[in-house]
Amino acid sequence: MIDSQGLPRARLGAKRDEVSTTFTLPNPISFLLLPEFTSIALFSVVEALRVANRYAPRKYEWNLTSLDGKSVQDCNGIDICVSDNFFDMTEAPATIIVVGGTAPDRFGTNELFSKLRWFSSQGTFLGALDTAQQMLALGGLLDGYRVTVHWENASAFRERFRKSEMTLNLFEFDRNRVTCAGGTAGIDMVLHAVEAEHGRDVAIRAAEHFMHERIRNGSERQRLKTTDRWDIHHNKLVKSIEMMEAEIEEPLSTAELAAAVCLSPRQLSRLFKEHLQISPGQFYLELRLDRAHEMVLHSEMSVNAIAFACGFQSQSHFSRVYREKFGVSPRQTRTRSAKRQYPAMQAPN
């Protein structure tokens, strides 16, 4: 299928295995910037498009929009000018990409969902960067689609939006939806679209222009490898940590972990002490608490539900160890976060 700009579009009825190799960003592209959006997510995409235009035979076009037509402050407090009010747009662009940041849910109004649904019905591709997936999912716009989100929001998204097929890939193209985890992954997402539309040579030249040493596949991991993150290279220790990270809701015992890597519990404990200066049990607890902290900040789940989702048998135990690690209770964490996000709601001095 060819769009009005003469560029190939993904077929809406494409099979799953075909979708995974269909990378398209139909032209032109409208970016909707939500207040407190993440600049690196936006500019990774925009800069990649700009550089691609130096070499692509057909140029990418884009514009920046906001919910009120006024400039938008990013999460650093920097004002970014826009050219249009999103709600004043009457002609459907080929692609709309929403750029999120801090608490994107609060901008998900029925008026916005209705506008996005109308654009989608006109053949517009819908996309989301960084955290904007939460807002689109809230409006049912990602139901039945394969979606990626930033790893920090993944646990909360998976628990809340079960109608989406969530992954932890760098980016996902699924029929008429495109999602990106944010950060520099937007560069790779654009370069894959450039390669699909203009060929490998153009994509390579664009990558080399801004010294992007290689074009990452969407399926590559978002976070550093376990060996790099913890600066460890003992294979059995690495495997133990990866098992811990995979089994948060129902934690494994030290004996179960040791047996899985063909060690005795004493040998596994010695490895943790030698390389990480901590016991396996304490390390596991730290991982679970970090996951819980992400869910407290990025989900609306109850504290009790978060406790059980992170392997704690009681809310009282969870709250106690959480306070020991972070200095405040889970509810206090939420209150402080809400005050930072909604300063007008704070009581006057």
Side-chain angles (χ1 to χ4, degrees):
M1 184 184 298
I2 303 297
D3 70 4
S4 60
Q5 302 295 317
L7 297 178
R9 286 195 177 196
R11 290 168 291 160
L12 299 189
K15 296 178 182 179
R16 283 282 174 176
D17 56 350
E18 294 175 334
V19 167
S20 64
T21 56
T22 304
F23 305 103
T24 58
L25 288 175
N27 212 17
I29 303 167
S30 289
F31 292 93
L32 171 58
L33 311 185
L34 301 181
E36 299 179 17
F37 71 95
T38 307
S39 285
I40 191 172
L42 171 68
F43 291 117
S44 289
V45 173
V46 170
E47 280 295 286
L49 292 171
R50 179 187 67 82
V51 172
N53 276 351
R54 294 173 64 99
Y55 310 105
R58 294 187 300 274
K59 307 305 180 186
Y60 290 97
E61 299 175 7
W62 63 87
N63 69 315
L64 305 183
T65 75
S66 68
L67 296 171
D68 57 8
K70 299 178 182 178
S71 62
V72 186
Q73 276 198 350
D74 72 358
C75 58
N76 298 307
I78 301 172
D79 284 321
I80 303 297
C81 294
V82 303
S83 58
D84 297 284
N85 182 322
F86 182 77
F87 291 106
D88 289 343
M89 293 170 56
T90 56
E91 185 174 344
T95 300
I96 292 172
I97 297 179
V98 186
V99 190
T102 306
D105 292 24
R106 69 183 191 268
F107 305 107
T109 62
N110 288 332
E111 182 184 13
L112 179 55
F113 295 145
S114 178
K115 186 82 170 179
L116 289 167
R117 288 191 192 100
W118 182 81
F119 280 132
S120 183
S121 73
Q122 301 304 301
T124 298
F125 276 41
L126 297 183
L129 300 181
D130 198 77
T131 64
Q133 293 88 322
Q134 295 175 209
M135 191 274 287
L136 292 184
L138 191 64
L141 293 160
L142 296 178
D143 289 358
Y145 286 93
R146 192 172 58 253
V147 179
T148 190
V149 300
H150 190 282
W151 63 265
E152 191 175 50
N153 302 83
S155 298
F157 189 96
R158 183 183 286 111
E159 291 289 335
R160 187 177 182 190
F161 302 112
R162 296 184 179 273
K163 292 183 179 180
S164 296
E165 181 186 337
M166 198 205 80
T167 77
L168 279 177
N169 293 337
L170 294 179
F171 54 85
E172 287 284 2
F173 289 82
D174 188 353
R175 293 161 287 170
N176 57 346
R177 297 290 188 270
V178 57
T179 53
C180 179
T184 59
I187 297 174
D188 303 280
M189 179 186 76
V190 170
L191 291 178
H192 275 274
V194 169
E195 180 177 354
E197 295 170 9
H198 304 294
R200 179 79 175 165
D201 289 346
V202 174
I204 291 296
R205 292 182 72 184
E208 290 183 334
H209 183 90
F210 47 77
M211 294 173 284
H212 197 57
E213 65 178 11
R214 69 184 182 90
I215 303 174
R216 294 177 293 178
N217 291 319
S219 59
E220 293 191 36
R221 66 175 71 218
Q222 294 181 22
R223 305 186 72 180
L224 294 174
K225 294 180 181 179
T226 303
T227 52
D228 297 328
R229 199 180 330 148
W230 303 106
D231 192 24
I232 55 174
H233 301 280
H234 193 291
N235 289 337
K236 293 187 176 183
L237 184 57
V238 169
K239 184 177 179 181
S240 298
I241 293 174
E242 290 175 345
M243 290 176 63
M244 289 178 177
E245 292 177 326
E247 299 291 342
I248 294 293
E249 187 170 353
E250 298 181 9
L252 302 170
S253 67
T254 298
E256 289 172 322
L257 287 166
V261 296
C262 301
L263 293 174
S264 69
R266 178 174 295 182
Q267 288 172 320
L268 183 62
S269 295
R270 189 180 301 121
L271 273 180
F272 271 87
K273 287 287 188 179
E274 178 183 346
H275 293 273
L276 296 168
Q277 294 75 54
I278 194 172
S279 70
Q282 186 61 36
F283 185 89
Y284 211 165
L285 177 61
E286 296 283 329
L287 286 181
R288 290 158 53 210
L289 286 171
D290 286 341
R291 179 74 59 85
H293 185 63
E294 293 165 12
M295 297 177 77
V296 168
L297 289 173
H298 302 294
S299 81
E300 296 181 353
M301 294 172 63
S302 68
V303 172
N304 192 50
I306 291 173
F308 285 109
C310 294
F312 296 94
Q313 296 305 307
S314 71
Q315 182 179 327
S316 59
H317 175 235
F318 167 60
S319 296
R320 177 175 59 80
V321 294
Y322 184 99
R323 183 187 290 274
E324 289 174 358
K325 178 175 174 63
F326 298 106
V328 293
S329 70
R331 288 192 173 85
Q332 287 172 323
T333 297
R334 252 189 194 155
T335 300
R336 293 182 181 186
S337 176
K339 286 181 177 179
R340 287 195 298 270
Q341 295 170 15
Y342 308 95
M345 296 173 62
Q346 296 185 51
N349 293 326

